[in-house]
Amino acid sequence: MSKRALITGITGQDGSYLAEFLLDKGYDVFGMVRRSSTETIQRISHIKDQITLLQGDLLDQASVVKVIEEAQPDEIYNLAAQSFVPTSWSQPVLTGQFTALGVSRMLEAVRQVAPKARFYQASSSEMFGKVREVPQTEMTPFHPRSPYAVAKAYGHHITVNYRESYGVFAASGILFNHESPRRGLEFVTRKITDGAARIKLGLADELCLGNLDSQRDWGFAGDYVEAMWKMLQHDEADDFVIATGETHSISEFLDIAFGRLDLEWQQYVKKDPRFMRPAEVDQLIGDYGKAKRVLGWEPKVGFNELVTMMVDADMELLKK
């Protein structure tokens, strides 16, 4: 019998890589998607015929229950969220409904109709926010600095609660920033690689960005979905930081991205106050020692390789 997995947020960057990964492992893969009048499945269009999509919405408890009943999953990966930090400032209540209470709805549905299923919650390094220590581990206190991060912290704690109170196998991956050619264009990394490619091809003449000094721990999304899977194969449910242990600034990202195309980014990049956060998260850097020790996981794709991969993919895409 094949194992069955349900992925919420299957149409997103992580969902698409995870779906591919699980199909390669022989899983029957189900994805929960919201009904919308426009198709938003370009990231999974190449595997659409190998997966089953079910309609459900994290804002609607009954639909979540129905999806889990239909999928009968052995493993559930909750990746769906309002995941763009700047939007969480303009839509804080909606972000709380999706990113915080959506986790409660999922866990409650699991408890009711699939108590034996193993549950993965996508937590975020943004929960550390104004960091209390560098690097951050599973024991570092949270100090979230955006409505998104606050909602993620709620989702993280409620997952721990269901694990401790009801014995649900519920694991959380505290994932640091992870990127890929499938990253949404609103995220700064993809905005840079797309912008550099457009400038190189003569389709644009400048790129407007916010804080160039903020530092992040950037890994490759394809590596990080393997860590999610490994957490659900482990004997005990637990929380794990997934990161590269290296930090890089936006300017370093620009150096590699523009350098790949023989461009000097300083000639094209403009600082725009519209892209500054009300409260900045300065230095996120994760210690993935526990994941390496317990799960045998470590990142494979390095920073240079990641940026180069994204620039090359955007050049290809725009040439088409």
Side-chain angles (χ1 to χ4, degrees), residues 154-190:
Y154 173 97
H156 181 83
H157 287 305
I158 201 71
T159 301
V160 173
N161 264 264
Y162 270 70
R163 179 167 78 218
E164 293 176 352
S165 309
Y166 298 121
V168 173
F169 189 109
S172 276
I174 305 172
L175 270 57
F176 280 66
N177 292 57
H178 45 290
E179 316 297 319
S180 75
R182 298 181 195 172
R183 192 52 141 156
L185 284 164
E186 69 274 25
F187 290 88
V188 67
T189 48
R190 183 72 195 289

Side-chain angles (χ1 to χ4, degrees), residues 131-144:
V131 300
R132 313 283 181 91
E133 60 181 7
V134 179
Q136 293 89 50
T137 72
E138 293 79 7
M139 304 310 290
T140 304
F142 298 149
H143 187 143

